[in-house]
């Protein structure tokens, strides 16, 4: 889980550090080279109250009030360094051993997944890679990265996903002229099935609706499980959901379902088995893996569809762009072919819109543990055992980076040719997938999935809100594991076939291709597999 929501993260870290670490930090005087401290209006608990009230916008407020590139927050149980400067974010990414993410991830992973003490100990062995490229933590990331780089294997996963979504879209057609549904609910159900089909193969445990429902029940109580205060009571339903999904994965491995699954699943299983993780614990770790593949894709698709349909001009322009990758035959029956492969190189407004949706709706934070006293950019001293947070929301709402329209949704913001009056953003400022050594390895899969879902949907259907007016739901209750804001309430919509597109059937195609959408600066700068970029 590379990112967490800011308010929940603060509470979890404070509780996790414990009294001994807190007393050690609290009793040590502030060094003059440490980042300036921002005091709270209420002693001791003021920042916690501020975070609970303002959620992911609290750090933005503090950043705007102080105009500091980095500042210190003293919290109950922890000292946090909050980074607001893109320059410092990039400097931190270059110090991945001394400003480390892996130890935090490993600690949270064991608690989230409910694995055994033996599995936790194996996970913690050489967790930061200080002794070389071995150990479950280091090898698992390498296994995921190799599976999710642009390749025929990734295209194969996406093809399975596309056909699953195609079947879901076909089911919207019927004798009635219009279908009424709740958009977030429909996407959750169908994207969950499509994504898990593509990864887990024919024996996908999530084909059982009860297992899928149990997963989302677990996800809904994730913060309570992480805090760990009497979870058997306070998170009873969430733990029951987690246990049900874990049992389903145990059965999946027992019948060798993973042997017919994607390379991602096979790599993860083989890496765990090599490191002598029991099959029961592999199943529990896979519940955590499901969080990574599902929790952010659903809201990303939701916001993109909602925002595209909210702007009729944008919807028309995207449809015109998509027309260039659609062909048709009319021999006996009308058949339209949508070539998903070409979205990466021919549909630049579509991809720019997706990036802007992520900038506009993301709220995760990258975190690091200070492993030893470290001086950042020859100026800022970061003390051992403190935490560093790099909230994406601060960078994504900085008008110096994005221009005076930073608070507006601008779907053309990421186009190379934006016009004379539009500010071209620094590519490194786009933080929706993190960055550096912890850059999300699944970004290509997620991008392909959301672009496919949206393009297939907009070409086939018109959509209107049943209450007559589009509006963005509030996002106050976004879950701890989410990088993308989740809607507090669903949006009821009416779906109907596009005028002029009522007849015929649709076929979707994805060819093997090395082309990728360069979503982050690292895609263009490193391009480790020699992929072509759009």
């Amino acid at each position: 889980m590379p990112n967490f929501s800011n308010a929940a993260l603060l509470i979890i870290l404070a509780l996790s550090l414990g009294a001994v670490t807190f007393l050690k930090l609290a009793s040590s005087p502030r060094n003059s080279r440490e980042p300036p401290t921002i005091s709270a209006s209420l002693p001791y608990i003021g920042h916690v109250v501020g975070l609970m009230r303002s959620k992911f916008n609290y750090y933005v407020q503090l950043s705007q009030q102080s105009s500091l590139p980095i500042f210190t927050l003293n919290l109950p149980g922890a000292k946090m360094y909050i980074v607001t400067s893109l320059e410092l974010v990039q400097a931190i990414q270059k110090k991945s051993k001394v400003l480390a993410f892996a130890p935090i991830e490993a600690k949270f992973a064991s608690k989230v997944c409910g694995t055994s003490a033996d599995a936790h100990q194996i996970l913690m062995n050489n967790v930061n890679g200080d002794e070389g490229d071995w150990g479950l933590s280091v090898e698992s990331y390498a296994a995921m990265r190799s599976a999710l780089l642009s390749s025929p294997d990734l295209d194969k996963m996406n093809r399975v996903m596309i056909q699953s979504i195609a079947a879901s879209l076909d089911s919207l057609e019927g004798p009635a002229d219009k279908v009424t549904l709740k958009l977030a609910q429909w996407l959750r159900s169908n994207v969950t099935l499509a994504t898990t089909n593509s990864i887990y193969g024919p024996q996908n445990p999530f084909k059982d609706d009860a297992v899928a429902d149990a997963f989302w029940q677990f996800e809904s109580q994730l913060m309570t499980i992480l805090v760990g205060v009497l979870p058997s009571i306070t998170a009873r339903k969430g733990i029951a959901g987690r246990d049900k999904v874990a049992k389903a994965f145990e059965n999946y491995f027992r019948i060798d379902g993973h042997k017919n699954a994607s390379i991602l699943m096979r790599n993860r299983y083989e890496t765990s088995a090599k490191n002598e993780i029991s099959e029961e614990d592999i199943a529990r770790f896979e519940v955590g893996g499901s969080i990574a593949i599902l929790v952010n894709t659903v809201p990303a698709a939701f916001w993109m569809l909602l925002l595209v349909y909210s702007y009729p001009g944008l919807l028309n322009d995207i449809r015109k762009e998509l027309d260039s990758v659609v062909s048709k035959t009319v021999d006996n029956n009308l058949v339209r072919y949508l070539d998903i492969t070409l979205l990466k190189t021919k549909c630049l407004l579509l991809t720019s819109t997706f990036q802007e949706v992520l900038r506009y709706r993301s709220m995760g934070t990258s975190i690091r543990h200070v492993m030893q006293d470290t001086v950042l950019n020859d100026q800022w001293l970061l003390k051992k055992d403190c935490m560093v947070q790099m909230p994406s929301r601060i960078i994504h709402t900085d008008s110096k980076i994005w221009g005076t329209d930073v608070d507006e949704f601008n779907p053309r913001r990421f186009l190379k040719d934006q016009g004379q009056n539009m500010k071209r953003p620094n590519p490194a400022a786009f933080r929706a997938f993190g960055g550096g050594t912890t850059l999300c390895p699944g970004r290509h899969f997620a991008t392909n999935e959301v672009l496919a879902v949206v393009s297939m949907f907009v070409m086939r259907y018109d959509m209107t809100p049943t209450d007559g007016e589009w509006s963005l739901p509030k996002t106050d209750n976004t879950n701890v594991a989410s990088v993308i804001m989740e809607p507090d309430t669903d949006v009821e919509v009416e779906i109907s076939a596009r005028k002029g597109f009522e007849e015929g059937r649709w076929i979707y195609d994805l060819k093997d291709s090395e082309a990728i959408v360069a979503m982050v600066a690292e895609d263009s700068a490193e391009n480790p597999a020699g992929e072509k970029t759009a």
Side-chain angles (χ1 to χ4, degrees):
M1 294 176 295
N3 294 277
F4 300 89
S5 67
N6 300 322
L9 176 67
L10 181 149
I11 295 168
I12 293 162
L13 288 176
L15 291 170
S16 297
L17 282 173
V20 174
T21 302
F22 169 63
L23 291 174
K24 179 181 176 182
L25 293 173
S27 61
S28 61
R30 176 185 174 275
N31 188 293
S32 61
R33 296 188 68 189
E34 285 185 81
T37 299
I38 293 185
S39 301
S41 55
L42 292 174
Y44 193 69
I45 63 169
H47 291 307
V48 174
V49 173
L51 276 159
M52 297 308 294
R53 285 178 177 172
S54 300
K55 309 294 185 190
F56 43 80
N57 286 317
Y58 185 63
Y59 290 148
V60 177
Q61 294 167 8
L62 292 180
S63 174
Q64 292 174 345
Q65 291 168 11
S66 67
S67 299
L68 293 168
I70 183 172
F71 54 83
T72 302
L73 296 185
N74 290 316
L75 307 162
K79 179 188 283 187
M80 302 277 184
Y81 301 121
I82 311 301
V83 181
T84 71
S85 158
L86 180 59
E87 179 185 4
L88 292 183
V89 168
Q90 293 174 297
I92 289 168
Q93 289 177 173
K94 296 175 182 177
K95 296 179 178 290
S96 59
K97 295 299 184 184
V98 294
L99 303 176
F101 171 67
I104 302 172
E105 180 183 41
K107 183 171 185 175
F108 284 155
S110 298
K111 184 174 286 190
V112 166
C113 301
T115 53
S116 68
D118 287 343
H120 177 67
Q121 184 57 52
I122 293 171
L123 183 60
M124 295 303 294
N125 288 338
N126 193 36
V127 67
N128 202 35
D130 295 326
E131 300 174 26
D133 295 334
W134 63 270
L136 180 59
S137 176
V138 175
E139 293 173 34
S140 292
Y141 185 81
M144 287 189 292
R145 188 174 184 274
S146 65
L148 292 167
L149 285 174
S150 182
S151 68
D153 289 311
L154 179 61
D155 289 330
K156 182 177 179 180
M157 290 168 58
N158 282 130
R159 271 192 289 272
V160 174
M161 175 274 298
I162 287 167
Q163 296 313 314
S164 183
I165 290 295
S168 299
L169 290 173
D170 288 343
S171 69
L172 293 176
E173 295 182 349
D177 291 336
K178 295 182 178 181
V179 175
T180 300
L181 54 82
K182 293 185 180 297
L183 183 58
Q185 184 182 78
W186 186 87
L187 284 168
R188 171 180 282 192
S189 175
N190 290 284
V191 171
T192 296
L193 182 61
T195 304
T196 53
N197 276 344
S198 70
I199 291 174
Y200 299 121
Q203 281 79 42
N204 173 21
F206 285 81
K207 286 182 177 179
D208 183 345
D209 289 343
V211 173
D213 290 343
F215 170 80
W216 290 110
Q217 180 176 279
F218 158 61
E219 187 264 355
S220 71
Q221 291 198 308
L222 190 55
M223 178 180 172
T224 309
I225 293 171
L226 278 167
V227 170
V229 178
L230 300 175
S232 60
I233 299 173
T234 58
R236 180 174 54 85
K237 290 183 178 179
I239 289 176
R242 180 184 68 187
D243 291 346
K244 185 176 182 66
V245 180
K247 287 295 182 184
F249 273 118
E250 285 184 49
N251 182 64
Y252 171 76
F253 295 132
R254 192 176 300 117
I255 63 175
D256 290 334
H258 59 289
K259 292 183 179 180
N260 298 312
S262 69
I263 188 172
L264 174 63
M265 180 67 260
R266 299 197 307 272
N267 281 3
R268 287 208 294 223
Y269 183 91
E270 290 165 6
T271 301
S272 295
K274 173 191 171 186
N275 283 275
E276 300 183 343
I277 299 293
S278 70
E279 202 156 84
E280 180 180 351
D281 280 320
I282 294 176
R284 288 192 167 272
F285 277 132
E286 200 54 46
V287 180
S290 299
I291 295 173
I293 64 175
L294 291 173
V295 167
N296 294 301
T297 305
V298 173
F302 170 83
W303 293 118
M304 188 159 178
L305 281 173
L306 186 64
L307 286 162
V308 166
Y309 278 89
S310 297
Y311 293 82
L314 173 62
L315 176 61
N316 290 335
D317 288 345
I318 286 178
R319 282 174 168 169
K320 289 177 183 178
E321 192 175 61
L322 286 167
D323 279 336
S324 68
V325 297
V326 173
S327 59
K328 62 183 178 180
T329 60
V330 289
D331 293 337
N332 296 318
N333 296 296
L334 175 61
V335 179
R336 294 183 178 88
Y337 297 86
L338 175 56
D339 190 344
I340 303 295
T341 318
L342 298 178
L343 298 182
K344 306 172 188 179
T345 55
K346 299 291 187 181
C347 298
L348 303 184
L349 176 57
L350 179 71
T351 57
S352 175
T353 300
F354 179 48
Q355 286 182 281
E356 177 67 352
V357 166
L358 296 182
R359 184 202 70 85
Y360 190 60
R361 296 280 94 181
S362 63
M363 37 65 66
T365 183
S366 298
I367 58 176
R368 300 291 186 271
H369 185 105
V370 183
M371 306 299 290
Q372 63 187 47
D373 285 4
T374 301
V375 177
L376 196 60
N377 276 19
D378 298 322
Q379 182 176 6
W380 306 107
L381 173 63
L382 309 182
K383 298 288 288 183
K384 180 181 177 181
D385 288 331
C386 293
M387 293 289 172
V388 179
Q389 290 197 53
M390 296 170 280
S392 65
R393 193 75 181 155
I394 292 178
I395 303 297
H396 286 168
T397 57
D398 188 339
S399 60
K400 295 188 297 296
I401 295 173
W402 304 97
T404 56
D405 67 342
V406 66
D407 295 326
E408 301 173 12
F409 174 70
N410 180 355
R412 289 171 169 79
R413 191 182 302 277
F414 291 87
L415 292 175
K416 292 181 180 179
D417 183 13
Q418 305 177 77
Q420 296 180 348
N421 297 322
M422 296 180 67
K423 184 178 179 65
R424 176 69 176 165
N426 181 342
F430 182 70
R431 301 281 306 162
F433 292 103
T437 58
T438 59
L439 179 65
C440 175
R443 65 193 181 280
H444 299 314
F445 178 77
T447 298
N448 291 344
E449 182 168 22
V450 174
L451 294 182
V453 169
V454 172
S455 62
M456 294 161 70
F457 196 102
V458 302
M459 290 304 285
R460 290 185 65 170
Y461 295 108
D462 287 324
M463 180 170 69
T464 56
T466 56
D467 64 5
E469 185 174 333
W470 290 111
S471 61
L472 298 183
K474 292 183 178 180
T475 58
D476 294 337
N477 298 318
T478 294
N479 194 283
V480 60
S482 296
V483 176
I484 309 299
M485 302 176 197
E486 296 176 325
D488 290 348
T489 55
D490 212 334
V491 176
E492 188 176 74
V493 295
E494 284 186 346
I495 308 293
S496 59
R498 284 178 66 193
K499 292 181 180 179
F501 289 78
E502 299 90 346
E503 302 298 326
R505 65 189 182 96
W506 285 83
I507 293 178
Y508 307 97
D509 188 28
L510 176 67
K511 302 178 181 68
D512 287 348
S513 170
E514 293 183 349
I516 63 169
V517 179
M519 293 295 292
V520 295
E522 288 88 343
D523 287 335
S524 297
E526 297 178 5
N527 203 8
E531 300 107 329
K532 299 175 184 177
T533 58

